Amino acid sequence: MTGEAGAPAVSSGWVRIIDLHKSFGAHEVLRGISLDVEPGQVVCIIGASGSGKSTLLRCVNRLEDPTSGQVVVDGVDLTDPDCELDEARAHMGMVFQQFNLFPHRTALGNVTLAPRKVLGRSAAEADEVGRRCLADVGLAERADAYPSQLSGGQQQRVAIARALAMDPDIMLFDEPTSALDPELVGDVLEVMRDLARRGMTMLVVTHEMAFAREVADRVVFMDEGVVCEEGPPAQVLSEPREPRTREFLARVLDH
């Protein structure tokens, strides 16, 4: 994406969230979130259920409309009423808790649909990219399988391949392993580790503390719609400064 007129060029994969608020009726879910994610960074967001983590991600790609504040991606203000949202979203991949695959399409069919419909790629080109993306997530041999023939972990990896097929600058992950059986979590996390090693900008809502400690450049702890603490994983997860962070981690790490 190109920056706004007169603005300096911005590296691909830069996210800036400025004083973001989101209310549902009288309930204020986000209460002034400000956060920067630099190109190539992995930022993991942790916190209890109801703290606003998923709402924050949904506001970043405008699945939810913020009540106020700004979301700027690669120099483009997604909260500007004149923003071309479809064009902006094409640069962001999102992976949800649920896989949301089309049951009547094969793994390859799920991966190639958006590149053909949104990017206008030919069937041959979409097929080539789709097979490469499935190979990247370790599913080259399952291209012709339907979702019902795949495990939950395999379905989630297809969902990641589907996002990658759009050639995004940024990947948003909303608790991608929370719906999986424990023995299936590892394969999905390994795909995400590989993306991090390849320099993908990633904003990850997760309850996998070991993954956050290993992969994240920064960990953000949210509570009741605000950022309570952020910093390097070793600091936030091992030596948190804020009492609310310590209380949360004590509960999570006891299980």
Side-chain angles (χ1 to χ4, degrees):
M1 281 191 277
T2 56
E4 297 163 347
V10 180
S11 300
S12 295
W14 191 294
V15 181
R16 175 160 289 168
I17 301 164
I18 306 165
D19 195 25
L20 198 68
H21 290 254
K22 175 61 181 178
S23 295
F24 295 97
H27 180 45
E28 193 173 21
V29 178
L30 300 179
R31 300 188 290 134
I33 301 287
S34 293
L35 186 66
D36 277 1
V37 184
E38 297 179 16
Q41 277 194 335
V42 178
V43 174
C44 285
I45 304 172
I46 64 172
S49 295
S51 59
K53 308 182 303 296
S54 294
T55 300
L56 175 61
L57 278 199
R58 292 175 68 85
C59 284
V60 169
N61 74 351
R62 290 291 309 278
L63 287 174
E64 296 284 357
D65 292 328
T67 304
S68 65
Q70 284 181 289
V71 177
V72 182
V73 177
D74 292 346
V76 176
D77 184 355
L78 272 65
T79 46
D80 186 326
D82 296 326
C83 174
E84 293 289 342
L85 266 185
D86 288 343
E87 180 183 340
R89 281 200 191 109
H91 296 258
M92 288 186 285
M94 184 147 183
V95 179
F96 300 88
Q97 297 178 32
Q98 301 298 330
F99 326 125
N100 298 325
L101 300 179
F102 291 109
H104 61 288
R105 293 184 180 272
T106 63
L108 184 62
N110 271 279
V111 172
T112 58
L113 183 63
R116 289 191 293 108
K117 299 291 188 183
V118 178
L119 300 181
R121 288 177 173 160
S122 68
E125 184 183 7
D127 188 89
E128 179 183 351
V129 171
R131 290 184 184 279
R132 185 173 71 241
C133 290
L134 285 171
D136 285 345
V137 300
L139 291 175
E141 303 304 316
R142 304 309 307 274
D144 297 325
Y146 288 89
S148 62
Q149 299 170 313
L150 300 172
S151 70
Q154 289 172 330
Q155 290 183 60
Q156 189 62 293
R157 284 187 280 154
V158 172
I160 295 173
R162 176 178 58 188
L164 292 176
M166 296 294 287
D167 195 24
D169 298 321
I170 300 151
M171 287 286 286
L172 309 176
F173 291 90
D174 186 8
E175 299 208 30
T177 60
S178 65
L180 300 178
D181 292 333
E183 66 270 19
L184 303 176
V185 168
D187 288 341
V188 173
L189 292 181
E190 184 54 38
V191 168
M192 295 170 66
R193 288 188 191 95
D194 186 56
L195 287 176
R197 286 191 288 264
R198 288 156 49 186
M200 175 65 74
T201 307
M202 295 163 60
L203 192 53
V204 184
V205 170
T206 185
H207 59 274
E208 300 286 348
M209 298 301 147
F211 173 82
R213 186 185 301 276
E214 175 191 351
V215 177
D217 295 291
R218 292 198 341 270
V219 171
V220 174
F221 171 65
M222 285 182 62
D223 186 58
E224 296 183 351
V226 299
V227 172
C228 288
E229 185 164 357
E230 66 174 297
Q235 181 261 303
V236 174
L237 298 178
S238 299
E239 299 177 2
R241 294 186 295 263
E242 298 297 323
R244 282 188 287 180
T245 316
R246 291 197 292 270
E247 290 166 13
F248 168 76
L249 289 171
R251 289 198 308 271
V252 170
L253 298 176
D254 276 347
H255 291 79

